[in-house]
Amino acid sequence: MKVATIIGARPQFIKAAPVSAALTAAGIEEVLIDTGQHYDDNMAGAFLREFGMRRPSHVLGVGGGPHGAMTGRMIERTEAVLTQEKPDAVLVYGDTNSTLAGALAAAKLALPLIHVEAGLRSRLATMPEEINRRVTDHVSTVLCCPTASAMENLKQEGLAAATAPVHLLKPVEIEAAVSGRPVVVNIGDVMVDALYRRRAQLGTDVPIPGISSGTYALVTVHRADATDNRETLAAIVAALNELAAAMPVIFPLHPRTKAALEQHGLALTARVHSMPPASHGDFTRLLVNAKAVVTDSGGVQKEACILEVPCFTLRNETEWNETVQSGWNVLLGSKPNGLEDHILAFVRPRASAGNVFGDGKAADRIVVLLKAFLSANVLKRAVG
Ligand code: UD1
């Protein structure tokens, strides 16, 4: 049995890591295809090494450029690799251009397509990630949802849920997928698998000398909405500069944000401790010790919620509504004011965020799914 995994952006390296380990443990051959969407080593290759993953068999080298050109080149190169490799199934993660390109290439070759992190919706029709995830969901064979609300989103779009948990899938449900009706299952979030494993390996110290636990705000900003618009980025910079007068601010800079600050002529004060993107280990240590996190990242909202760190999100909406419902995440909009006041006024919820995102065993469920589908021999290779 051979599976092709398509990755390309930072969160995809993190999500694919526990699944790659589970595939290896199950003796399933995996071909890693890296589109090259994130090409800085500290946004891509460093994660492969940190997670002990093997080097990608194919590096497509498609980084940068407008969305259409980037996605088009990725489809062309992914199709060529899939035709050559003839995998039994294709795995894609999340909502990036790499996800969309991989999904379209696999679907047009009639290869079984498994979408991990299916069913998320921001309901912002023009958001690039929203377009990518909607299209990917609707060409997938198996939709692996991370939460109950993702299942509900798909139901509203006419994609019905499987009636049984993954390990009890009936042949009829598997056959439905072959006849064009996808199987929709809630397996939990693979990012939780990665976070739990990381937490188990970590020391408890802050990885920056001179900074004490529980005293600082950790910041990440990278979404195009925040970086491409000078007015929005200027408002964020002003808010962070103001916050830095009150408490230490630690800001691992995404390459897109670093470039945008230079391009827009905006400067963080010297009191903001900016640094290159952190490894997953260092970032998790920074997060677990933070007084608060200020972010526009999808993944960081969840991780903060699971680790019970107050999270202030620089967006008006989130795909991860459970984080807000749990009380650990506050949506401040993209032009925040008075960050210090928000952080000081935060009331820690009594209840833990619990396991709304899963139990850390999502990767094992993907292996169960693959085995059920492929050993049933109902999904035939269409290539070659
Ligand atoms: C978002 C996009 C995704 C895009 C990606 C680009 C949404 C819904 N999704 O995902 O389509 O490809 O941004 O980056 O907008 N981390 C580190 N080191 C750091 C900072 C973060 O290891 O310095 C880790 C976090 O622990 C977390 C992950 O990176 O596990 C989050 O990645 P991030 O780049 O923030 O992506 P998302 O917002 O989740």
Side-chain angles (χ1 to χ4, degrees):
M1 189 189 296
K2 191 204 261 189
V3 174
T5 297
I6 294 165
I7 52 178
R10 172 167 66 187
Q12 290 166 333
F13 292 92
I14 296 169
K15 289 166 193 167
V19 180
S20 286
L23 290 172
T24 303
I28 298 173
E29 182 186 351
E30 182 185 35
V31 178
L32 269 184
I33 303 169
D34 176 1
T35 63
Q37 185 172 342
H38 279 170
Y39 43 82
D40 289 348
D41 185 64
N42 58 16
M43 294 291 290
F47 289 95
L48 292 175
R49 296 191 295 278
E50 188 181 11
F51 283 100
M53 292 166 77
R54 80 179 73 79
R55 289 160 72 92
S57 312
H58 303 273
V59 180
L60 308 185
V62 189
H67 280 268
M70 186 202 281
T71 311
R73 287 203 310 274
M74 283 178 183
I75 294 173
E76 191 178 355
R77 293 181 195 179
T78 307
E79 181 183 64
V81 169
L82 293 178
T83 305
Q84 176 198 330
E85 290 284 355
K86 300 182 173 47
D88 297 296
V90 177
L91 271 171
V92 294
Y93 292 86
D95 54 20
T96 68
N97 289 341
S98 304
T99 315
L100 176 63
L104 289 176
K108 295 222 170 196
L109 290 169
L111 288 167
L113 175 67
I114 295 157
H115 184 204
V116 181
E117 209 183 68
L120 295 192
R121 297 291 182 266
S122 64
R123 309 203 192 285
L124 286 179
T126 55
M127 180 185 183
E129 293 92 342
E130 182 80 353
I131 297 164
N132 293 344
R133 54 173 94 100
R134 276 178 186 271
V135 175
T136 301
D137 282 342
H138 285 267
V139 296
S140 289
T141 317
V142 184
L143 295 117
C144 294
C145 296
T147 58
S149 61
M151 299 277 283
E152 185 55 36
N153 289 339
L154 292 180
K155 193 171 158 197
Q156 282 173 20
E157 292 175 19
L159 297 170
T163 52
V166 169
H167 64 288
L168 298 176
L169 276 183
K170 299 184 192 101
V172 63
E173 281 160 326
I174 296 171
E175 275 160 31
V178 191
S179 61
R181 278 194 299 114
V183 166
V184 183
V185 280
N186 181 358
I187 62 160
D189 189 342
V190 284
M191 236 176 174
V192 176
D193 298 26
L195 181 63
Y196 281 6
R197 279 167 214 198
R198 179 66 58 212
R199 194 172 53 175
Q201 299 160 357
L202 282 179
T204 52
D205 54 319
V206 181
I208 299 178
I211 303 271
S212 312
S213 179
T215 63
Y216 61 89
L218 176 64
V219 178
T220 81
V221 174
H222 71 267
R223 293 200 48 253
D225 268 2
T227 59
D228 291 1
N229 181 318
R230 189 184 189 281
E231 203 190 320
T232 307
L233 191 59
I236 292 172
V237 167
L240 294 178
N241 286 344
E242 187 187 59
L243 181 64
M247 67 182 75
V249 173
I250 299 175
F251 191 178
L253 275 180
H254 193 286
R256 180 195 279 159
T257 313
K258 186 165 183 276
L261 289 171
E262 282 160 20
Q263 187 200 332
H264 296 313
L266 296 167
L268 294 158
T269 69
R271 299 173 75 107
V272 174
H273 183 108
S274 63
M275 56 189 274
S279 67
H280 191 241
D282 281 353
F283 190 80
T284 309
R285 277 158 74 202
L286 283 169
L287 183 56
V288 83
N289 284 296
K291 181 179 181 67
V293 58
V294 178
T295 189
D296 65 354
S297 160
V300 173
Q301 290 173 60
K302 271 182 294 176
E303 291 170 340
C305 180
I306 293 163
L307 297 171
E308 302 190 354
V309 177
C311 181
F312 298 88
T313 296
L314 303 180
R315 289 178 59 188
N316 294 310
E317 72 301 306
T318 176
E319 297 77 15
W320 303 102
N321 283 309
E322 295 84 353
T323 59
V324 177
Q325 286 152 9
S326 74
W328 288 99
N329 188 14
V330 181
L331 300 180
L332 293 184
S334 55
K335 294 180 191 160
N337 268 318
L339 282 175
E340 186 198 2
D341 292 343
H342 287 291
I343 292 172
L344 295 180
F346 184 83
V347 180
R348 291 176 78 85
R350 286 219 189 128
S352 140
N355 264 351
V356 276
F357 300 110
D359 55 6
K361 294 179 183 152
D364 292 339
R365 295 192 184 95
I366 291 172
V367 170
V368 170
L369 268 171
L370 277 167
K371 282 186 170 167
F373 269 67
L374 298 175
S375 66
N377 201 26
V378 285
L379 297 176
K380 300 269 191 294
R381 286 184 193 167
V383 187

